[in-house]
Amino acid sequence: MRLSRNIVGVLLAAAVGSAALAACTADSAPKPALTWLPCAENGAYECASLAVPIDWADQGGDTIDVAVVRDKADGADKVGTLISLPGGPGSSGVDQILSGTTFSAELRARFDIVSIDPRGVKRSHPVRCDAGLVAGRPNLVPDGGGRLEESRSYAKGLEASCREHTGPLMDHLDAESVARDVEALRKALGEKQISLYSRSYGTMPAQRYAELFPGQLRASLLDSVDDHSLGGAEFLATQARAGQGTLTEFVAWCVRETQCSLHGKDVPGLYGELFAAATRGELRDSAGKPLTPLDLSTKVTQRLYRPEWPELAKDLQALAAQPRGVAELPAAPRRTGEIAPMPQIIFCSDWQFDIADQEQWQRLWRAQQDNAPTLRAHFAWGAGSICSGWPVAPKNPPHRPQIQDGPPILIINSRHDPATPHEWATQVAIQTPRATLLTYDGWGHGIYDRTACVTTAADRYLIDLRLPETDNCSA
């Protein structure tokens, strides 16, 4: 993509501004304090809150409290603090620690493991919007009568609703702001350097932290990494290929394994029939509401995260057995006056989808189907369509990594990941100085605890700063 001189100038100015702000944040900002108390939900862990500016460019302005949790090292030979950044967007790092961390016993013995609810999530001034708009969606399927104008109108109304109920934080939900929150947390913890573990969307602020504060970073493990260098069209295409690839793996499993309840059946053909039925408004979810085509593809893709192949087969079998009643398309989304959380919309603060008109939207939809001939569309299609009409430009737009210094970085990713494609991990490793990619030759999203090979390689890197000698772990 060729940029005009004006755009290049703006980007360079933004980069200089970010560097200046990073220096200011690192050197002159007052050190915040943390008051640790036993967590109300689980007294085995400690909780605190950290006041951070809503807008890091206005550090004297209004603040929010970011929720923090700590699992203290239980060994004598402590390495330091490991900050874990959750995925999503919208996942709670506090909940993940309180429910029993997936980190190994050795890692928990050697590090204080700290996590947060990122700004806009759950305990950290959550994004809240009208419940009717959160629950509803416009028709986002061009083949089923969807119109880009309706998506844009919905996005505009949703943004206004979220701003009404969330306030000025709506302009500062991006990964760079979270990275600056992490730097404030480092200072509050009194650590000269921190180690980072990040997963999925959490790799976005982790990568930004490496750009802004390389000297404060001891180690960074990126698990199932986002490639933030992608434009909107490439993002949608790579997501579709990832969804198709992981669904193909499920189909192959059904062909060879008799435990698949669809063994011996034409699984791609069955899914195609279900997608067509959903487009006509003939499928229902477990609550009896219309199941849209994107609902169907999302339901399938989420089963591929772990993956849960036997359960997915049963899901498809149950949908195929549904009696086909009178077609009923979902009602148009409308305000109800009630309020509900919607942290997923944070996505629009970091990604950019420039879709000019209905014709281009339809071309992108055809590209989805070309890249995912069985799945038809990845759930990312819905997010991209809505964000294309978001009235506020992303504060942290996509860009190639600009990491100038800092430690070697370890990236781990499965070969068959439905959400963060392996091709993303390959590209991030190429674009990131001193990065090493370890591939798990298996399936699923988020792989730290998949096999002893992966966990051992990750632990040796985080504890000993030793990179793996191999570039893959078998399934």
Side-chain angles (χ1 to χ4, degrees), residues 71-424:
D71 180 10
K72 293 195 71 173
D74 53 18
D77 193 11
K78 178 182 169 183
V79 174
T81 294
L82 174 67
I83 296 180
S84 175
L85 298 177
S91 295
S92 162
V94 174
D95 284 351
Q96 290 173 5
I97 297 296
L98 294 181
S99 64
T101 172
T102 57
F103 295 114
S104 70
E106 182 182 12
L107 207 64
R108 295 179 67 188
R110 303 295 299 278
F111 285 95
D112 285 347
I113 299 178
V114 174
S115 193
I116 61 173
D117 284 357
R119 53 173 58 210
V121 176
K122 204 163 184 178
R123 304 168 184 84
S124 300
H125 198 95
V127 174
R128 301 191 304 165
C129 317
D130 184 90
L133 299 180
V134 170
R137 293 287 188 281
N139 183 350
L140 298 175
V141 179
D143 289 350
R147 304 292 300 172
L148 183 62
E149 290 178 3
E150 295 176 2
S151 175
R152 287 174 171 171
S153 176
Y154 168 78
K156 184 177 179 180
L158 178 64
E159 192 277 339
S161 164
C162 297
R163 184 173 297 277
E164 176 186 354
H165 297 297
T166 307
L169 183 64
M170 286 299 298
D171 294 322
H172 306 284
L173 294 166
D174 57 285
E176 178 174 326
S177 295
V178 176
R180 296 187 185 282
D181 295 344
V182 171
E183 173 61 4
L185 178 58
R186 178 194 67 81
K187 292 180 179 181
L189 292 167
E191 295 282 8
K192 188 172 183 180
Q193 289 187 316
I194 53 172
S195 300
L196 291 180
Y197 167 81
S198 56
R199 176 173 173 167
S200 192
Y201 208 85
T203 65
M204 298 273 285
Q207 291 177 80
R208 199 72 182 104
Y209 189 91
E211 291 178 309
L212 295 171
F213 308 107
Q216 284 73 49
L217 189 59
R218 174 185 170 273
S220 181
L221 175 61
L222 306 174
D223 183 350
S224 306
V225 67
D226 277 38
D227 180 2
H228 199 218
S229 71
L230 297 174
E234 297 123 320
F235 178 92
L236 293 173
T238 51
Q239 288 279 60
R241 286 197 291 271
Q244 175 66 28
T246 50
L247 182 60
T248 299
E249 291 291 304
F250 161 72
V251 172
W253 173 79
C254 269
V255 169
R256 67 177 181 266
E257 297 292 341
T258 57
Q259 71 180 97
C260 174
S261 60
L262 297 176
H263 180 70
K265 303 289 180 62
D266 177 10
V267 177
L270 172 64
Y271 179 84
E273 292 172 4
L274 292 174
F275 197 90
T279 302
R280 294 190 299 267
E282 296 175 358
L283 288 187
R284 300 289 182 271
D285 62 17
S286 58
K289 297 179 180 179
L291 188 75
T292 71
L294 290 184
D295 291 337
L296 174 64
S297 66
T298 299
K299 183 181 180 71
V300 168
T301 306
Q302 288 175 340
R303 285 292 197 191
L304 299 171
Y305 268 47
R306 194 65 207 163
E308 299 168 308
W309 288 341
E311 293 82 0
L312 175 55
K314 292 174 183 176
D315 289 346
L316 296 177
Q317 189 175 41
L319 287 171
Q322 275 189 9
R324 299 289 187 266
V326 177
E328 180 186 358
L329 296 175
R334 60 182 180 82
R335 287 176 176 254
T336 63
E338 298 178 0
I339 301 171
M342 196 179 186
Q344 299 85 354
I345 209 62
I346 291 170
F347 181 85
C348 296
S349 298
D350 292 303
W351 292 97
Q352 189 163 343
F353 299 87
D354 297 321
I355 304 177
D357 51 31
Q358 180 76 16
E359 183 180 354
Q360 184 184 5
W361 194 47
Q362 289 176 319
R363 284 200 304 272
L364 290 169
W365 175 254
R366 289 193 293 272
Q368 281 284 291
Q369 312 229 348
D370 290 342
N371 283 294
T374 305
L375 184 64
R376 304 295 202 279
H378 194 277
F379 62 72
W381 171 261
S385 296
I386 292 169
C387 289
S388 74
W390 203 246
V392 180
K395 194 164 183 291
N396 177 44
H399 61 276
R400 289 175 64 96
Q402 300 166 2
I403 300 172
Q404 302 300 323
D405 203 351
I409 290 172
L410 178 59
I411 302 167
I412 59 176
N413 221 94
S414 75
R415 181 79 62 188
H416 307 288
D417 187 322
T420 51
H422 189 262
E423 62 180 293
W424 286 7

